[in-house]
Amino acid sequence: MPGEPDELPELERRREELYRELGQVGDFRRGSLNEVRRKCGKPNCACAAPDHPGHGPQWNLTRKVEGRTRAVHLRPGPELEKARREVAAYERFRDLVGEVTEVNEVICQARPAVPGGTAGGEGPSGTGGEKGGSARRSRRRSPPR
Ligand SMILES: [Zn+2]
């Protein structure tokens, strides 16, 4: 159950770790890679046959920009491999952002409103809490390592 006093340092450690991993993601880009084949349209070409898959493959990196799809053509080889890594790194980045968001939300639940208090809003709060105090610092003293 969230709200155990010992849970916060553990969660904060996890969060730091995720931020560290985020910093190591490297170059990334949005988009998806699609393999495309095309028919050149020359009637004498082999690709004119109905069962021919078409020339290629060529790889397109497509991405929506303001509602329009933009495509970048990539050649197989280093260019394509680089784009694959960059697209995969974005996936990794997005996963990490999701994880760090979840950890932060658990931290928010576990963090007591008043330092030293208990979290979770259980117990009577007839006093309406302490208002007018100085703004609560979001950073706690870091635990000794
Ligand atoms: Zn052709």
Side-chain angles (χ1 to χ4, degrees), residues 40 45 47 55:
C40 65
C45 184
C47 76
H55 296 282

Side-chain angles (χ1 to χ4, degrees), residues 91-112:
E91 298 288 309
R92 172 95 180 114
F93 174 76
R94 241 184 7 189
D95 287 350
L96 285 168
V97 166
E99 279 185 60
V100 85
T101 302
E102 280 173 26
V103 171
N104 267 290
E105 284 168 354
V106 178
I107 286 174
C108 288
Q109 274 188 337
R111 173 127 31 229

Side-chain angles (χ1 to χ4, degrees), residues 25-118:
V25 167
D27 297 349
F28 62 81
R29 71 199 307 180
R30 288 177 290 176
S32 54
L33 285 165
N34 307 291
E35 184 181 349
V36 285
R37 289 174 177 271
R38 63 183 181 82
K39 310 236 175 185
C40 65
K42 290 176 191 156
N44 294 334
C45 184
C47 76
D51 59 344
H52 193 286
H55 296 282
Q58 185 185 53
W59 291 82
N60 282 351
L61 176 69
T62 57
R63 194 196 144 193
K64 284 233 175 181
V65 181
E66 287 164 8
R68 301 175 63 172
T69 302
R70 291 201 186 159
V72 179
H73 307 295
L74 299 166
R75 291 175 212 285
E79 202 178 63
L80 175 62
E81 295 315 310
K82 177 171 173 286
R84 273 195 215 280
R85 285 196 301 272
E86 291 162 347
V87 168
Y90 178 63
E91 298 288 309
R92 172 95 180 114
F93 174 76
R94 241 184 7 189
D95 287 350
L96 285 168
V97 166
E99 279 185 60
V100 85
T101 302
E102 280 173 26
V103 171
N104 267 290
E105 284 168 354
V106 178
I107 286 174
C108 288
Q109 274 188 337
R111 173 127 31 229
V114 177
T118 53

